[in-house]
Amino acid sequence: MRATKAIIHIENFKENIRNIRGFTADGVKMCVPVKADAYGHGAVECARAALECGVEYLAVATVEEGLELREAGIKSPVLLFSLCSPEEVEDAVKNDITPFVFDSEYISMFDRSAGKFGKNHYPVHLAIDTGMGRIGCLPEDAAHLAKVISDSDNLFQEGTMTHFATSDCKNPDSIEYTKKQFALFTNSIEEIRKEGLNPGICHCANSAATLDLPETHLDMVRPGIIVYGYDAGDVNAEYLAKKGTPIDLKPVMTLVTEISAIRHFKKGSSVGYGRTWTAEKDTDIAVLTIGYGDGFVRRFSRAGIKVAINGKEYPVRGRICMDQCMVDLGLDSGVKRWDKVVIFGAKSDGAMQTAEDIARMTDTISYEITTVLTRRVPRVFVD
Ligand SMILES: *Cc1c(COP(=O)(O)O)cnc(C)c1O
C-alpha cells in the first residue's frame, strides 16, 4: 500500500456518537449521514460503526450511495437527503431507500414504483423548506402535500423534516433566523395534524442544533460533521464549554504520507511549476507523494500550509502538483528519507493541526477538507 493514506479511527467515531447521544433525551432517534462516502471517511465502515452504536437511521445523498450500503448487507433505514432522477427511482424503491418528497410529480413517481414492486406501505418523508432555500415545499403547502401522500396508493408519511440555514452561526440575526425556521416547522406540523394526518418522525436538527438547541431535537437528530470530530461552526468546543455543556470531539481522520526524497538545493533554486518559490538560502527540500490528485488541493499552496514531521512543522513550498508536493526542511533538520509526514488529524498520530485548522487557513469548512480526498487515498480503518 502507498504511504499516502487516511487513517480512520473508528473508535473515535463511536466515541463521538456516544458523546452526542448525551445531548439528546431518551427516545430521540439519531440519523447519521454517511453521504459523500461518509464525508470522505468510508461510508460502509462508518455506517456499520454507527449502527453498532445504536443509530437508527443512516442518510445518503444519492441512490448509488444507498445501494453501496445495501450491497454491504446494511439493513437499517436509509434516508435520501437529495433528489434523484426519474430513472433512479426504481433502484431506490427496490433497495428501500427512503426519499424526501415535496411535490406531486415526485410523490407519484415513487408511488407508481412502489406499486410496481408490490410495496404497498412505502415510507417517505415530507420535506418543508422553512428558509434553507434548497428542497422542500413552502410551509403553507405542507398540509396539502401530506394529504397528497396519504391519498397515494402505496406511500405513507413516515416522517417530516426541515433543514436549518444558519444554526451554526451565533450572531443575533442568525439565531433569530433559526428560531423563525423552527417556528414555521412546528406550525406546519400542527397544520398537518389538524388535517387529521400523521407527520410521523419530525426532525430538523443538524450538528449545531443537536449540540446547542435541544428544543429542536423533536423525534430525531441528524448530526453530521460532529460525528466525524469537527466543530459545527460557531458551536465549537469553547462555546459549549462556556455554556456548561462541554463536549470533547475527536477527529476521526488522520491524513499521512511520507518523504520520498530529500534534495539539497542551493540558494536561488526554484521549486515547482511556475517557479512561485525560490530558495533565499541553501536548504533541504523534501518531496512528498501527495498532491491535488489525492485531494491535497492546489489552493493550499497559497495558504502557507505546514505539515508535521517528527513533531515539528515544515512549510509546503511552491505549487502543489497533481501527485507530489515539496516541503522546506531547512538545513540540519535531522529529517530522513522515508520519515512519516502527518498532514492533519489526531494528536495521537503526531498531527499538529486538524482538518478544521486547514479549513480556517484556506477559507473553507472542515467538511470540504475531508470530503475532497480522492479514491487514490486508501482509507485504513483502525480501532
Ligand atoms: C448533510 C446534512 C445534515 C448534516 O449536517 P451537518 O452540518 O454535517 O451536521 C443534516 N441534514 C441534512 C438534510 C443534510 O443534508
Side-chain angles (χ1 to χ4, degrees):
M1 186 188 289
R2 64 188 292 229
T4 300
K5 53 187 166 238
I7 302 166
I8 307 299
H9 294 279
I10 288 293
E11 203 38 59
N12 286 0
F13 179 74
K14 289 180 162 181
E15 197 180 316
N16 292 339
I17 291 177
R18 289 191 290 262
N19 282 335
I20 296 159
R21 279 279 197 200
F23 282 69
T24 60
D26 288 351
V28 174
K29 295 178 177 11
M30 190 186 282
C31 168
V32 167
V34 293
K35 58 193 184 187
D37 203 26
Y39 294 38
H41 295 67
V44 169
E45 286 79 0
C46 289
R48 286 199 184 115
L51 295 172
E52 279 167 26
C53 293
V55 159
E56 290 87 352
Y57 278 72
L58 299 171
V60 295
T62 70
V63 174
E64 245 178 46
E65 289 179 345
L67 299 200
E68 187 190 1
L69 300 181
R70 293 297 183 231
E71 275 156 19
I74 289 166
K75 305 266 191 291
S76 73
V78 174
L79 295 178
L80 183 62
F81 274 179
S82 303
L83 303 190
C84 68
S85 302
E87 53 266 35
E88 296 176 289
V89 170
E90 288 204 353
D91 269 342
V93 169
K94 270 193 272 185
N95 289 280
D96 294 307
I97 309 297
T98 306
F100 286 175
V101 301
F102 62 94
D103 66 273
S104 304
E105 180 192 2
Y106 200 72
I107 289 169
S108 69
M109 275 169 22
F110 273 89
D111 190 24
R112 267 180 277 130
S113 197
K116 180 170 166 188
F117 294 106
K119 302 189 178 190
N120 304 118
H121 195 58
Y122 197 84
V124 300
H125 289 218
L126 176 62
I128 306 175
D129 182 6
T130 56
M132 171 65 186
R134 196 166 66 181
I135 59 168
C137 65
L138 293 177
E140 54 267 37
D141 297 334
H144 168 68
L145 284 152
K147 186 82 169 55
V148 173
I149 295 168
S150 90
D151 287 346
S152 73
D153 293 330
N154 305 298
L155 307 181
F156 81 101
Q157 190 170 343
E158 186 196 54
T160 304
M161 67 78 65
T162 195
H163 194 50
F164 294 129
T166 61
S167 56
D168 61 344
C169 310
K170 290 292 133 191
N171 60 62
D173 278 357
S174 300
I175 293 170
E176 206 46 46
Y177 195 79
T178 302
K179 272 193 193 149
K180 194 187 97 190
Q181 280 199 269
F182 186 60
L184 286 169
F185 186 51
T186 51
N187 282 340
S188 304
I189 292 166
E190 271 320 300
E191 297 290 317
I192 293 169
R193 289 212 173 97
K194 270 193 222 144
E195 290 294 313
L197 300 169
N198 184 356
I201 301 163
C202 298
H203 51 106
C204 58
N206 56 4
S207 290
T210 300
L211 296 183
D212 193 35
L213 305 171
E215 67 276 18
T216 66
H217 292 178
L218 305 179
D219 305 316
M220 183 163 80
V221 294
R222 307 189 306 260
I225 195 67
I226 55 177
V227 302
Y228 301 102
Y230 304 105
D231 291 336
D234 296 347
V235 181
N236 55 30
E238 197 187 348
Y239 171 91
L240 289 163
K242 219 182 261 174
K243 201 184 156 195
T245 53
I247 189 166
D248 181 20
L249 297 169
K250 301 251 165 71
V252 175
M253 180 191 288
T254 300
L255 180 63
V256 299
T257 184
E258 73 183 8
I259 293 175
S260 58
I262 297 178
R263 319 269 321 283
H264 182 72
F265 284 178
K266 291 272 179 241
K267 173 182 172 179
S269 310
S270 66
V271 166
Y273 289 120
R275 305 188 63 217
T276 57
W277 186 82
T278 302
E280 284 172 5
K281 46 185 193 274
D282 292 6
T283 192
D284 292 326
I285 294 286
V287 182
L288 316 184
T289 46
I290 187 169
Y292 64 80
D294 301 296
F296 194 57
V297 304
R298 196 164 170 274
R299 76 188 147 78
F300 291 177
S301 330
R302 265 179 280 128
I305 294 291
K306 293 180 175 161
V307 300
I309 306 166
N310 306 330
K312 274 184 73 181
E313 286 190 303
Y314 299 92
V316 173
R317 296 297 196 207
R319 285 190 186 142
I320 294 169
C321 313
M322 185 184 286
D323 314 305
Q324 306 178 76
C325 67
M326 280 66 84
V327 164
D328 192 359
L329 299 176
L331 295 176
D332 306 315
S333 64
V335 172
K336 293 188 298 295
R337 189 181 200 181
W338 315 123
D339 275 355
K340 188 172 136 184
V341 179
V342 188
I343 311 281
F344 64 78
K347 277 204 186 78
S348 55
D349 291 322
M352 300 179 75
Q353 63 193 349
T354 66
E356 207 159 305
D357 296 320
I358 295 192
R360 213 171 295 120
M361 284 185 268
T362 57
D363 199 24
T364 182
I365 50 178
S366 54
Y367 302 63
E368 194 184 25
I369 305 293
T370 61
T371 303
V372 299
L373 293 188
T374 63
R375 234 168 39 148
R376 194 165 81 177
V377 180
R379 273 62 167 177
V380 179
F381 300 91
V382 300
D383 270 346

